[in-house]
Amino acid sequence: MKILGISGSPRKGQNCEKMIEAVIKVAKERGFETDTVFISNLEIGPCKACGACREKDSCIIDDDMEEVYEKMRSSDGIVVAAPVYMGNYPAQLKALFDRSVLLRRKDLALKNKVGAALSVGGSRNGGQEKTIQSIHDWMHIHGMIVIGDNAHFGGVTWNPVEEDNIGMQTVLETAKKLCDVLELIGKK
């Protein structure tokens, strides 16, 4: 089984990428295949609501989103990490989420994939739970199975994540729960 980690931050090498790397490490140790999408390395334009994806299997916007579609289709689990920007995730992640409508229109391609969310803010209570809730909303719209960290909603950290031992523990617990659920599904 394969787990995809998506960093929704436009900042290279920062908190969200570090959280995704921690999740990927846990997944690899548990024997999962892994892949990543780091928005900081991609050009993904906003959806134009043109409706072309109702008829076509690809988006008419020529950017890096086609690569993301394939990675999402081929994954069994998806974990999304996002920083808090003005109380929610950044515009770059919103563009990816909006453009994923193509996958919804194509036989609910993400249905029954397992999803988890992580967020980092400038303080312990800096909007992370609202951001995670918004990521969960996106997952529910796609028919995904949404999990948390066994105690709450997912991984909640504050900046800088490498100094937040309590928050990083919630990231690791979310990673373990994601692996646990995928293993349970795989046994069926």
Side-chain angles (χ1 to χ4, degrees):
M1 298 184 98
K2 186 174 177 182
I3 293 175
L4 174 65
I6 299 174
S7 168
S9 174
R11 299 177 64 214
K12 289 184 185 195
Q14 297 300 311
N15 294 309
C16 288
E17 291 180 10
K18 291 174 184 175
M19 289 190 296
I20 291 297
E21 288 166 358
V23 170
I24 295 300
K25 182 179 182 211
V26 169
K28 284 182 178 178
E29 288 171 356
R30 297 273 296 261
F32 288 87
E33 288 182 54
T34 62
D35 204 348
T36 58
V37 168
F38 288 174
I39 284 183
S40 64
N41 298 327
L42 301 174
E43 291 294 326
I44 299 175
C47 181
K48 297 178 181 184
C50 67
C53 62
R54 291 183 205 283
E55 310 299 324
K56 301 177 126 197
D57 288 336
S58 61
C59 182
I60 64 165
I61 300 170
D62 185 20
D63 61 11
D64 295 322
M65 194 62 192
E66 287 300 322
E67 170 189 338
V68 177
Y69 290 138
E70 185 48 42
K71 288 183 178 195
M72 292 171 92
R73 280 186 191 104
S74 68
S75 296
D76 301 291
I78 298 172
V79 58
V80 178
V84 178
Y85 281 25
M86 295 302 292
N88 216 312
Y89 49 72
Q92 293 86 346
L93 184 57
K94 176 73 165 123
L96 184 149
F97 284 173
D98 288 348
R99 297 273 300 282
S100 74
V101 71
L102 179 143
L103 298 173
R104 180 174 164 72
R105 289 176 173 160
K106 301 302 174 194
D107 301 320
L108 285 169
L110 302 183
K111 183 179 179 184
N112 293 329
K113 293 181 187 290
V114 180
L118 317 170
S119 185
V120 59
S123 65
R124 178 63 62 209
N125 300 301
Q128 295 94 321
E129 286 185 352
K130 174 65 175 161
T131 300
I132 286 173
Q133 179 183 358
S134 295
I135 295 168
H136 286 172
D137 290 345
W138 170 78
M139 292 174 173
H140 284 301
I141 288 167
H142 277 286
M144 295 175 69
I145 301 164
V146 179
I147 60 100
D149 67 342
N150 271 335
H152 292 97
F153 306 107
V156 175
T157 61
W158 63 346
N159 179 39
V161 297
E162 61 270 17
E163 294 178 17
D164 182 11
N165 294 330
I166 294 169
M168 283 305 290
Q169 189 60 42
T170 66
V171 170
L172 297 176
E173 292 302 320
T174 302
K176 291 174 193 174
K177 181 71 170 191
L178 179 62
C179 294
D180 290 347
V181 172
L182 285 169
E183 287 170 352
L184 286 168
I185 291 169
K187 289 179 182 177
K188 295 276 177 189

